[in-house]
């Protein structure tokens, strides 16, 4: 039996790899874990059958036998716990990798989500243009701290882990903003993540969903 | 040897339990784990010694021998892994509890953080009052979904876990907003969390830091 994840039937990012199933696909590819995908429409995401899997009506979900998970962080941690290349077995590096997963999701991503809100949901508001620099500056604070910590290192700790997978995935949301280019070592770090064969396979798989439909 | 956490020397919430060390104190109390606290000033948080522990210059951190962690999610997961009352040992309920931790931090907390930003950082902006209802409505979406999922249940899964600890902690940030009162079962859920003896001990400990100083 192989796990089944859900993904957008028609991703709003047109297959650019920013939907959150990409993060799970990437982890599954790193772990060499085959998986099935069930596509879900926007309408179906708000219906009872999907809400039973994901109470917040989002994708991805993860089903493996009678285990049902939601939240990319939780799904990726679950996958990583079965694969030492994503999560070291030794207590200390394991805990450090998990720390970076949470840092990506709870410290770095919230101001980036705020930029998505400002650019997409509130873009028609009269204050949108005036507010945007404030939002971007809050992202710069985090990028500067991350840049300082990263320095010349290849990954956040000694070796690539699920922490890097999550951090790179979160930072990729900034590709269109130009903000990454202000921090060359962070941009290079993101590029190293994208260059991984597992990332490339995952990217191609999610893009195919879009192109098959188009 | 007992672990050491960091907390604000002078918490901006004046000891109302909203600083993130409260979440870690609560977990340590649930796990009956004694701990030391090192208080950190705002200036010291931005200095090299603290940044070496926490690259984003925040509290809390967690030090236990040569293990250094930051991010409340990571610290609480680490504590919970040593205590079955916070994290079940069985694979399925364990993964579900972790799912709720991530849901609290990455799905429920971001719009709540946005409210903090709107109310505190952007409160002097000309658009602040007009924007506030949009921010609050995004929180209502999450609260309504959480309310529907919770129903009449006592906790998010069969028994209290680190997932509830994190969700209650995140929701407590809404106490002053009045939003919780719109979802009585969610408000009652938060009250059940606050009523736990471990919560009460943690709250008293963090309040004492403030009153001792005043």
């Amino acid at each position: 039996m192989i796990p089944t994840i859900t993904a957008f039937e028609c991703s709003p990012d047109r297959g650019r790899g920013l939907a959150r199933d990409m993060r799970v696909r990437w982890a599954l590819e790193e772990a060499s874990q085959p998986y099935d995908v069930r596509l879900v429409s926007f309408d179906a995401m708000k219906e009872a059958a999907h809400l039973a899997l994901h109470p917040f009506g989002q994708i991805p979900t993860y089903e493996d036998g009678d285990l049902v998970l939601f939240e990319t962080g939780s799904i990726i941690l679950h996958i990583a716990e079965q694969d030492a290349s994503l999560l070291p077995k030794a207590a200390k590096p394991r805990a450090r990798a998990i720390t970076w997963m949470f840092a990506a999701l709870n410290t770095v991503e919230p101001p980036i989500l705020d930029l998505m809100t400002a650019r997409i949901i509130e873009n028609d508001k009269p204050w949108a243009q005036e507010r945007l620099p404030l939002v971007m500056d809050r992202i710069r604070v985090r990028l500067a701290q991350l840049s300082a910590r990263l320095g010349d290192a290849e990954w956040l700790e000694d070796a690539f882990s699920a922490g890097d997978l999550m951090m790179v995935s979160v930072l990729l949301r900034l590709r269109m903003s130009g903000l990454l280019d202000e921090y060359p070592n962070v941009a290079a770090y993101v590029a190293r993540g994208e260059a991984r064969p597992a990332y490339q396979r995952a990217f191609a798989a999610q893009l195919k969903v879009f192109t098959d439909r188009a």
Side-chain angles (χ1 to χ4, degrees), chain A:
Chain A
M1 189 150 61
I2 65 175
T4 297
I5 68 168
T6 50
F8 287 124
E9 185 179 76
C10 184
S11 180
D13 81 334
R14 305 172 59 87
R16 284 180 299 185
L18 301 181
R20 291 191 187 197
D21 61 289
M22 175 65 203
R23 303 177 185 188
V24 173
R25 290 174 187 269
W26 185 7
L28 289 162
E29 291 288 351
E30 293 282 357
S32 304
Q33 166 68 58
Y35 62 100
D36 284 328
V37 180
R38 188 172 68 249
L39 302 178
V40 187
S41 70
F42 289 114
D43 286 344
M45 284 168 64
K46 307 303 173 193
E47 287 167 8
H50 189 73
L51 289 171
L53 303 177
H54 196 317
F56 300 103
Q58 298 177 310
I59 60 96
T61 56
Y62 175 97
E63 292 162 83
D64 190 4
D66 66 347
L67 177 66
V68 178
L69 301 178
F70 59 98
E71 289 288 329
T72 46
S74 168
I75 296 168
I76 288 172
L77 182 57
H78 176 77
I79 296 164
E81 284 184 325
Q82 300 158 52
D83 186 273
S85 75
L86 281 171
L87 194 64
K89 297 293 181 199
K92 189 176 152 184
R94 179 181 180 278
R96 292 289 301 177
I98 292 173
T99 290
W100 285 111
M101 289 183 65
F102 279 105
L105 292 173
N106 199 234
T107 294
V108 178
E109 191 162 43
I112 296 175
L113 290 174
D114 198 19
L115 179 62
M116 307 296 114
T117 301
R119 280 247 168 94
I120 300 168
I121 301 175
E122 297 181 4
N123 194 41
D124 62 338
K125 302 298 174 194
W127 65 77
Q129 289 310 307
E130 194 181 336
R131 185 169 174 268
L132 205 53
L134 302 179
V135 176
M136 293 180 76
D137 280 348
R138 285 195 286 268
I139 298 172
R140 286 188 178 98
V141 170
R142 295 300 177 220
L143 291 177
Q145 291 166 326
L146 185 65
S147 173
R149 173 61 176 72
L150 188 62
D152 296 327
E154 188 174 11
W155 305 113
L156 292 166
E157 300 286 329
D158 293 340
F160 178 83
S161 79
D164 295 295
L165 185 151
M166 197 63 89
M167 188 66 80
V168 168
S169 296
V170 163
L171 294 170
L172 274 167
R173 296 195 150 191
L174 293 174
R175 190 170 14 200
M176 310 282 283
S177 71
L179 283 168
L180 285 180
D181 302 329
E182 299 177 20
Y183 304 89
N185 67 332
V186 176
Y189 166 70
V190 172
R192 277 192 293 279
E194 288 181 278
R196 292 178 70 85
Y199 178 94
Q200 294 293 326
R201 290 194 297 274
F203 187 90
Q206 61 82 41
L207 179 60
K208 189 170 184 302
V209 174
F210 183 77
T211 52
D212 278 357
R213 190 183 158 84

